[in-house]
Amino acid sequence: MKRYLFHRLLALLPVLLVVSVVVFCLIHLAPGDPALVILGNDASPQDVAAMRQQMGLDRPMLVQFVSWFGDILTGNLGHSLFLDTSVMTLFLQHLTPTLALALYAQAIALVLGLTGGVLSAWQHGSLTDRAIRMLATFGMSVPGFLLGLFLIFFFAVQLRWFPVVGYRSSNDAFWLNVWYLTLPAIALGLRIAALIARMTRAVMLDVMQEPFISTARAKGVPERWVLLRHTLKNSLIPILTICGESFASLVTGTIVIESVFGIPGIGSLIVDSIERRDVTVIQGVVLLLTVCYVLINLAVDLLSYLADPRLSVDGGEK
């Protein structure tokens, strides 16, 4: 177990290095000058050059990268060029809305996905099965931003059941937060629900072919208990794995939905930083999101590893 964890953590280093190099190069090769954005288009070339020197942008790219990566190794992600605030502080300030949205979307995805997958497997080959598979295909095909705009038009503008855009802080009433996050959570979670439903159906149909399912039925166990206690229970490991991986993608993939619904999360922070060419914030936030994604997937792998009945404590087969 310790050896497995050590190798997984060791594999994190090259991932972070590659991501840092790619992000750094893309940002610095993109058109636009942060110094010119700060000073405005009316600034003289001498003022722009002086600002670039003050910001360290006049140095060669390799020197800038080595300096930035060295600061990262010491835990210093730098300061925003515009807000005079550390990148870590900005990240933590915007993390709460993103986590709240991701958790709500994951809850919706779990309820809809597991329910749909179990019903589809139980009614295999029936009209219900075909309808659920059709809805799952539709859910995986429609882009989140398009679904979000449809939800805003129908449920917020026409029916006025939910607010069009906005967010309420954690200091407000719990149900008020839920009310504001419902539409974006649905738009974000339906695709994950479709993925979970398809995975649940496929895994449960495979488990249903196992001999112990036939034995349980031969003993007269009611079909609903065969479905829940035997089939679903023995299908949970791959289902939980896909749920964990989907949660990691929710945390790191809320940029478009947050922009559509005006939620001040990590996605909005990245969009705003790109618009004002705040390269320090972009680099630091993307790197932190990568770390979050990898660590969440690592936690999911560890849970799956520990929950696998075929593996003993030392990692060998029983």
Side-chain angles (χ1 to χ4, degrees):
M1 177 63 189
K2 293 181 179 180
R3 185 175 182 180
Y4 174 80
L5 181 60
F6 173 76
H7 284 293
R8 289 304 305 269
L9 291 175
L10 192 63
L12 175 63
L13 298 179
V15 173
L16 295 180
L17 179 60
V18 171
V19 170
S20 62
V21 171
V22 172
V23 171
F24 183 88
C25 292
L26 288 177
I27 292 175
H28 283 74
L29 293 176
D33 190 344
L36 185 60
V37 174
I38 294 176
L39 297 176
N41 295 326
D42 296 331
S44 64
Q46 293 79 9
D47 292 338
V48 173
M51 178 60 70
R52 286 180 56 85
Q53 183 178 9
Q54 180 181 344
M55 299 167 61
L57 298 176
D58 60 330
R59 299 176 297 172
M61 283 187 57
L62 181 59
V63 176
Q64 294 184 49
F65 175 77
V66 172
S67 175
W68 173 65
F69 197 75
D71 290 338
I72 290 176
L73 294 179
T74 63
N76 179 20
L77 295 174
H79 279 68
S80 169
L81 302 177
F82 292 81
L83 304 177
D84 194 25
T85 306
S86 69
V87 174
M88 181 60 74
T89 301
L90 289 172
F91 181 82
L92 294 177
Q93 288 175 351
H94 291 77
L95 182 61
T96 300
T98 297
L99 280 180
L101 176 59
L103 288 171
Y104 194 3
Q106 184 70 53
I108 292 175
L110 279 173
V111 172
L112 295 180
L114 285 177
T115 303
V118 171
L119 285 176
S120 184
W122 185 25
Q123 303 291 330
H124 175 56
S126 67
L127 181 61
T128 301
D129 179 30
R130 291 195 292 270
I132 292 175
R133 283 190 292 162
M134 181 182 66
L135 290 174
T137 302
F138 174 79
M140 295 187 65
S141 304
V142 178
F145 75 91
L146 183 60
L147 180 60
L149 293 175
F150 170 77
L151 293 175
I152 289 175
F153 174 76
F154 188 73
F155 291 101
V157 177
Q158 297 295 326
L159 298 178
R160 298 185 179 182
W161 290 356
F162 298 95
V164 177
V165 295
Y167 173 77
R168 288 296 179 268
S169 67
S170 57
N171 296 326
D172 296 321
F174 173 77
W175 291 112
L176 185 61
N177 292 316
V178 172
W179 187 48
Y180 270 85
L181 288 177
T182 295
L183 291 186
I186 293 174
L188 193 61
L190 279 186
R191 184 178 182 278
I192 306 301
L195 180 62
I196 293 174
R198 294 182 58 155
M199 173 64 72
T200 302
R201 176 186 182 274
V203 176
M204 289 186 66
L205 289 178
D206 287 339
V207 174
M208 284 180 179
Q209 307 302 319
E210 296 293 332
F212 67 88
I213 298 297
S214 301
T215 302
R217 286 171 174 163
K219 290 180 178 180
V221 178
E223 187 64 25
R224 64 179 180 274
W225 294 120
V226 172
L227 184 72
L228 297 176
R229 287 187 176 181
H230 298 281
T231 308
L232 182 59
K233 180 180 178 180
N234 288 277
S235 306
L236 284 180
I237 291 180
I239 295 174
L240 291 178
T241 300
I242 203 71
C243 290
E245 293 176 351
S246 66
F247 180 70
S249 66
L250 287 176
V251 173
T252 59
T254 60
I255 296 178
V256 176
I257 296 299
E258 288 182 357
S259 299
V260 171
F261 287 91
I263 299 174
I266 299 297
S268 298
L269 175 61
I270 293 177
V271 172
D272 293 341
S273 299
I274 291 175
E275 290 178 351
R276 56 178 176 248
R277 290 286 296 170
D278 199 341
V279 294
T280 308
V281 174
I282 300 172
Q283 293 170 172
V285 170
V286 171
L287 194 63
L288 287 171
L289 286 178
T290 303
V291 173
C292 291
Y293 185 87
V294 174
L295 290 180
I296 292 174
N297 279 283
L298 175 60
V300 172
D301 290 345
L302 288 176
L303 290 176
S304 301
Y305 180 88
L306 294 174
D308 194 338
R310 298 169 300 176
L311 297 175
S312 61
V313 177
D314 60 357
E317 295 186 359
K318 289 183 178 180

